[in-house]
Amino acid sequence: KNSLLNLNKFHGINLTYHDSLIPEESLLFIQNQIKSGLPVILNIDLFNAPWFGDEYRKYHSLHTCLVTGVCDDGLYCVDSIPLMYGANLAKDDFLQGVRGFYAIEVGNAEFSDFDYNKILKDVVNNVSYKNQNGNMFEQLRTFSKLVEYELDISREVEGHERIWDSPFLRGITSIR
């Protein structure tokens, strides 16, 4: 929540969540938002996301993607899981699968005079700071070696109907 407040406070970007509109109203709102040059963060049922290939129309799960355009039959979406640089979301899939969305508004930042030198110095200090496990880069190298030499993905996904439900992949996708 603090991240969203800071996004508004320091950059003038406000996200407003909409989940009470009927699907047809949501589609119209999103189309108008896109036409005004602002993308929309869409929550959709994975069941209705055709870019998920084999999982399309098989599994229900809440999923988030970015709507960046309007096409004749629906919307144009970009997704990071799976990495996909764009796909059409048919109107029918949208109407059946929409679970809410964030509208993005751009205004004036409350604080706009940043001390970028201090911010960069703080970042460098945080990256360079060594604790008992080394600095961030050393920890990333250790993690990559563990993944390369010790990770047994079959064991990690065992007992989970979908690979995305495994603790390892849930942990990886939650890293911010």
Side-chain angles (χ1 to χ4, degrees):
K1 184 164 178 147
N2 285 341
S3 296
L4 293 179
L5 293 174
N6 287 336
L7 194 60
N8 187 1
K9 183 187 270 186
F10 296 106
H11 303 287
I13 297 171
N14 189 42
L15 301 180
T16 305
Y17 191 67
H18 299 271
D19 64 352
S20 60
L21 299 174
I22 62 171
E24 290 80 6
E25 290 174 336
S26 294
L27 180 61
L28 185 60
F29 187 102
I30 291 171
Q31 289 170 332
N32 289 331
Q33 184 87 354
I34 297 298
K35 288 177 184 171
S36 71
L38 295 169
V40 173
I41 302 166
L42 175 65
N43 285 337
I44 188 166
D45 186 342
L46 182 71
F47 186 86
N48 299 97
W51 54 89
F52 268 85
D54 292 341
E55 294 187 14
Y56 177 57
R57 298 215 177 266
K58 286 186 182 176
Y59 304 106
H60 292 277
S61 179
L62 186 63
H63 185 69
T64 304
C65 63
L66 187 67
V67 180
T68 60
V70 176
C71 50
D72 292 337
D73 183 38
L75 301 171
Y76 188 76
C77 300
V78 177
D79 204 339
S80 62
I81 300 172
L83 183 58
M84 185 254 330
Y85 297 106
N88 291 338
L89 176 62
K91 179 179 178 180
D92 288 340
D93 277 326
F94 172 85
L95 294 175
Q96 293 171 20
V98 63
R99 296 296 179 262
F101 62 91
Y102 287 93
I104 300 170
E105 303 166 48
V106 180
N108 294 322
E110 187 178 328
F111 300 102
S112 59
D113 53 334
F114 293 107
D115 182 355
Y116 287 105
N117 286 326
K118 181 182 178 337
I119 292 170
L120 288 174
K121 284 179 184 176
D122 288 346
V123 167
V124 169
N125 285 337
N126 289 338
V127 169
S128 303
Y129 173 74
K130 282 193 171 208
N131 60 23
Q132 67 271 18
N133 298 320
N135 69 26
M136 178 173 41
F137 293 110
E138 290 167 347
Q139 291 175 25
L140 284 171
R141 283 187 201 95
T142 300
F143 174 73
S144 67
K145 285 179 184 176
L146 288 171
V147 168
E148 183 177 4
Y149 297 112
E150 295 182 26
L151 177 65
D152 181 352
I153 200 71
S154 298
R155 191 179 73 230
E156 289 291 332
V157 299
E158 189 176 285
H160 298 281
E161 186 175 326
R162 295 178 304 156
I163 191 170
W164 304 111
D165 292 334
S166 71
F168 175 76
L169 287 176
R170 280 190 173 267
I172 291 293
T173 58
S174 71
I175 295 173
R176 303 266 189 265

